[in-house]
Amino acid sequence: ENISEGQSQIFLVILLLSLGTFLVNVLLGRLISEKLYSSMNSILIGIGRFQRGEYDYEIKVSKNDEFSEIADALNNLAKEVQHLIDDVYENMLQKQNIEYQMLRAKINPHFLSNIFNLIVQLAEGKEYEKIVLAAQQTANFYRKNLARNKDSVKLMEEMNAILAYLDIIGLMKPGAVTCHYEVDAKTERCIIPSFLLQPIVENAVNHAMVNGKITLCISAKAERGNLTIKIRDNGIGMSREQMENLFKIRGSHGYGLYSIRERIRLKYPDAQYGVFASCEEGHGTEISIVIPEINEFEQGEADV
């Protein structure tokens, strides 16, 4: 009886020990698996954030083990990638700024070259009084508009530049150009790249006249955060081939329109902004410029 009772007790103790050991192993296994899952999940979440470009995110794994080493390695890699992106972006901005300044710098001699051609034509016609007036108008135009060396101006300043240009054209071709304006008052103080519209007007005057005359309509409207400027003419229009080559440099021609498109592309990379053309051969051309609506106060804050 004693032996039988002792065996029962031993069996009970062994059973309890086995059960306790099993429970401890289950608990330890669960704790370990939760730790592993938590670490792996943190790493997977971090990788997902990095894939979305959130390189400033930091993977946090508390335990000092292989997972923490993996997390540290991924965090360091993300920081290096961010540094590389910052360097590339800065270099792109510097390159774009250089290209923008080069395009802008070439506009002035391009414009003056065309003005000098007008003066030469006046000289060939021996219209000496008009030559003097043209020289004076050009000097005034250059002093007020080209010599300011500003990247951006208010829309009304650009409109004044067009008026000055048309005054010069009027000396050579009296009554040849008629211009109408449909400019919303609130857009007059919007900021645009300097010398943006005059090359379009110049292109219409030089290449689109019908029987020596042309009518232009310049409109500006701001809506949904965008400024849309349109220059329409009733000139000869363009063929499909001419449309395809409109913004390309062709020898000494086409530089003004090419410069406008490239300057906007560099300054406003978003695809919704740019220069767009529509025309019908024999029924005129419309050039549309779409850029962000920025008023003079916002521009001042940006400059600061």
Side-chain angles (χ1 to χ4, degrees):
E1 291 178 359
N2 289 336
I3 291 173
S4 178
E5 184 179 352
Q7 288 177 339
S8 298
Q9 292 177 349
I10 291 172
F11 177 77
L12 180 60
V13 169
I14 292 174
L15 180 62
L16 292 174
L17 287 174
S18 300
L19 182 60
T21 303
F22 174 75
L23 292 175
V24 169
N25 287 334
V26 169
L27 291 173
L28 287 176
R30 184 170 181 179
L31 289 173
I32 292 172
S33 65
E34 286 181 354
K35 284 286 186 180
L36 292 175
Y37 174 78
S38 176
S39 299
M40 292 179 64
N41 190 53
S42 297
I43 291 173
L44 290 174
I45 291 174
I47 291 174
R49 299 284 289 270
F50 296 155
Q51 287 177 332
R52 292 193 294 270
E54 301 175 27
Y55 298 111
D56 56 345
Y57 179 79
E58 183 177 357
I59 301 174
K60 294 181 180 180
V61 178
S62 59
K63 193 174 180 180
N64 294 323
D65 56 11
E66 290 81 0
F67 287 105
S68 64
E69 293 179 5
I70 293 173
D72 291 340
L74 289 172
N75 289 332
N76 292 331
L77 178 61
K79 291 178 181 177
E80 291 298 323
V81 171
Q82 184 63 61
H83 288 321
L84 289 173
I85 291 175
D86 291 341
D87 291 341
V88 171
Y89 183 68
E90 184 177 353
N91 290 333
M92 286 178 61
L93 289 179
Q94 291 176 353
K95 180 183 177 183
Q96 288 181 352
N97 186 56
I98 292 171
E99 290 180 6
Y100 182 88
Q101 296 299 333
M102 289 176 65
L103 288 167
R104 185 179 178 277
K106 289 181 179 180
I107 281 289
N108 291 3
H110 171 79
F111 167 76
L112 290 177
S113 174
N114 288 336
I115 293 298
F116 287 141
N117 287 335
L118 295 179
I119 294 176
V120 168
Q121 294 179 41
L122 291 174
E124 290 174 347
K126 299 182 180 181
E127 300 185 58
Y128 302 118
E129 292 183 1
K130 289 186 177 181
I131 292 175
V132 174
L133 289 175
Q136 291 174 341
Q137 293 273 17
T138 302
N140 291 334
F141 179 86
Y142 189 89
R143 183 175 64 253
K144 293 180 180 179
N145 298 287
L146 299 181
R148 290 175 302 178
N149 196 31
K150 293 167 62 177
D151 287 337
S152 301
V153 296
K154 288 179 283 190
L155 177 60
M156 61 182 181
E157 294 180 84
E158 189 75 1
M159 300 298 289
N160 290 334
I162 292 175
L163 289 173
Y165 170 75
L166 293 178
D167 286 341
I168 298 171
I169 297 299
L171 292 174
M172 178 183 173
K173 304 174 182 179
V177 181
T178 303
C179 193
H180 303 289
Y181 302 92
E182 300 173 359
V183 179
D184 288 350
K186 71 174 184 177
T187 67
E188 292 182 350
R189 294 186 175 275
C190 287
I191 301 299
I192 66 173
S194 61
F195 219 54
L196 187 68
L197 307 181
Q198 188 275 335
I200 300 175
V201 173
E202 182 181 347
N203 190 68
V205 170
N206 288 339
H207 305 293
M209 283 191 177
V210 177
N211 298 323
K213 292 189 176 183
I214 192 169
T215 298
L216 303 173
C217 180
I218 302 175
S219 65
K221 187 176 183 180
E223 56 183 358
R224 295 192 292 274
N226 290 341
L227 173 64
T228 302
I229 305 170
K230 295 183 179 181
I231 300 178
R232 302 190 302 273
D233 67 63
N234 64 344
I236 60 175
M238 288 180 286
S239 64
R240 178 172 295 183
E241 181 181 358
Q242 289 173 319
M243 278 286 292
E244 292 175 353
N245 294 321
L246 182 61
F247 297 104
K248 297 179 181 179
I249 299 177
R250 304 173 303 283
S252 60
H253 302 291
Y255 189 84
L257 296 179
Y258 167 82
S259 173
I260 291 172
R261 187 188 65 176
E262 290 301 298
R263 289 169 66 197
I264 291 178
R265 180 184 64 82
L266 292 170
K267 196 173 185 67
Y268 312 111
D270 195 309
Q272 67 177 311
Y273 305 125
V275 185
F276 311 94
S278 62
C279 76
E280 184 178 349
E281 192 166 5
H283 294 83
T285 302
E286 179 179 276
I287 304 293
S288 300
I289 297 174
V290 182
I291 60 177
E293 179 190 0
I294 303 173
N295 61 46
E296 58 183 327
F297 305 107
E298 293 172 334
Q299 177 70 18
E301 293 174 357
D303 292 340
V304 173

